[in-house]
Amino acid sequence: MKKLSGFALLRQRNYCWGPGNDCQAWGDKGLTQSSQSRLFPNSSPRERHQNTRRKHLLKREVHLNFTSMTDLKVTLLQSVIEWENPTANLQHYAQMMDQINGITELIILQEMFTTGFTMDHYSNAEGMDGTGIRWLKEQAAKRNVVITGSLVIEEAGNFYNRLIWMRPDGTYQTYNKRHLFAMAGEHMHYVAGEQRLVVDYKGWRICPMVCYDLRFPVWASNIDAYDLLIYTA
C-alpha cells in the first residue's frame, strides 16, 4: 500500500509570445528578446538562444501551488489477478481494502481488474449495470472513498477497456482507453476512446488514463487542464 500525502503540486500553465500574444506562434520566432531575458535572466545571449530550443520550458510556466488544495491520500492496490475470474478477484480486492490502515480518499485498482488483460471480450464483458459496476458502488459507499480502475464493458454492441471513476454516492464518470495495445491485438477486440476525462475531487483536477496511453504524451498534454495524472495498468 502506498500513499500520496503532502504532495507538492507542479501546475503547468500556457504561455503566449509574439505579436498580440498569438498563441499559435510557438517556437523560436515567437520569442522576443525581453521574453527570453525574463525567462533566463542569468544567461548569455547565446545561452538564451539555445534555451529557445527547449520547447517544454518555453511553452509552459511551472510553479508551486499550495493554496487551492489539501493533501490527497491515495492507495494503490496491485494484486496477482485470477485469470478471467471476477468473483475471486473482487473478493480478493475487498479483502485488501479491509487491510488499509488509516484514512484514504482514493483507491486505484488495476487495468481490467476483474479479469486480467483478456482479449476474450465476448466471454468477459459486462454492461454498465453488471457485477463489477455494482461491486464498485458498494465498496465506494461502504468505505466513503472514490475507487477507480478499468474493466471490460459492452455497450451498444461495442466493447471497451473502460475506466470507472466511482464516487461514494454511486455516481460515476467513465473513460475509454484511447491507445489500444496493438501488439496484443487489443485494437481488434475493443473500441478506442475519443475523449479524455478530468474529474474534480477535493480541490484536485485529476486526469485518469489507462496503461498504454502512457506512451503518447500528446494525449496527456497539460495546458492548465489538470493537477494530477494517473495511469492504471
Side-chain angles (χ1 to χ4, degrees):
M1 181 178 68
K2 300 179 181 179
K3 289 186 177 180
L4 177 67
S5 183
F7 184 77
L9 170 69
L10 290 177
R11 176 178 292 170
Q12 298 177 318
R13 286 192 173 176
N14 203 2
Y15 247 115
C16 297
W17 288 293
N21 285 334
D22 182 3
C23 289
Q24 303 298 321
W26 297 124
D28 298 352
K29 295 182 179 179
L31 279 171
T32 65
Q33 184 67 29
S34 61
S35 297
Q36 296 179 49
S37 299
R38 185 171 66 252
L39 273 175
F40 312 106
N42 299 319
S43 58
S44 67
R46 177 180 176 83
E47 290 171 334
R48 286 199 294 271
H49 177 72
Q50 293 174 342
N51 282 331
T52 62
R53 301 287 181 182
R54 301 176 185 175
K55 298 182 67 175
H56 292 293
L57 289 180
L58 300 178
K59 292 175 65 175
R60 294 170 181 169
E61 171 197 21
V62 181
H63 64 92
L64 291 173
N65 183 326
F66 299 102
T67 60
S68 62
M69 62 197 68
T70 59
D71 293 348
L72 184 64
K73 297 181 177 65
V74 180
T75 300
L76 312 179
L77 293 186
Q78 183 168 345
S79 172
V80 176
I81 296 177
E82 292 286 339
W83 185 249
E84 298 181 353
N85 190 341
T87 301
N89 291 320
L90 296 179
Q91 181 179 3
H92 183 57
Y93 275 117
Q95 293 171 349
M96 293 179 71
M97 291 181 191
D98 289 339
Q99 297 174 20
I100 296 174
N101 295 318
I103 298 173
T104 190
E105 296 165 310
L106 172 61
I107 297 176
I108 303 175
L109 306 179
Q110 292 160 262
E111 178 184 19
M112 293 190 183
F113 66 90
T114 60
T115 60
F117 190 58
T118 179
M119 297 300 109
D120 186 2
H121 53 294
Y122 288 112
S123 300
N124 293 282
E126 63 178 82
M128 290 303 293
D129 58 351
T131 301
I133 301 297
R134 294 197 303 270
W135 181 88
L136 284 171
K137 288 183 178 181
E138 293 169 0
Q139 295 297 323
K142 175 182 177 180
R143 304 172 194 283
N144 192 32
V145 65
V146 167
I147 304 176
T148 190
S150 86
L151 63 165
V152 182
I153 294 292
E154 180 182 7
E155 189 173 68
N158 293 320
F159 297 87
Y160 301 92
N161 184 347
R162 177 170 293 177
L163 178 140
I164 310 295
W165 182 271
M166 183 64 70
R167 303 181 183 89
D169 63 2
T171 62
Y172 59 84
Q173 290 175 265
T174 65
Y175 164 73
N176 295 325
K177 183 179 180 182
R178 170 65 176 175
H179 298 96
L180 305 178
F181 191 55
M183 282 73 83
E186 188 180 11
H187 66 299
M188 300 174 63
H189 303 278
Y190 300 97
V191 176
E194 297 180 352
Q195 293 184 336
R196 295 196 317 184
L197 173 66
V198 177
V199 296
D200 292 314
Y201 185 51
K202 295 186 178 295
W204 292 71
R205 298 169 302 170
I206 302 174
C207 181
M209 295 191 180
V210 180
C211 198
Y212 198 49
D213 287 328
L214 177 67
R215 298 297 299 271
F216 300 86
V218 173
W219 182 243
S221 63
N222 186 14
I223 305 178
D224 204 25
Y226 59 79
D227 306 308
L228 177 61
L229 180 62
I230 295 172
Y231 292 90
T232 181

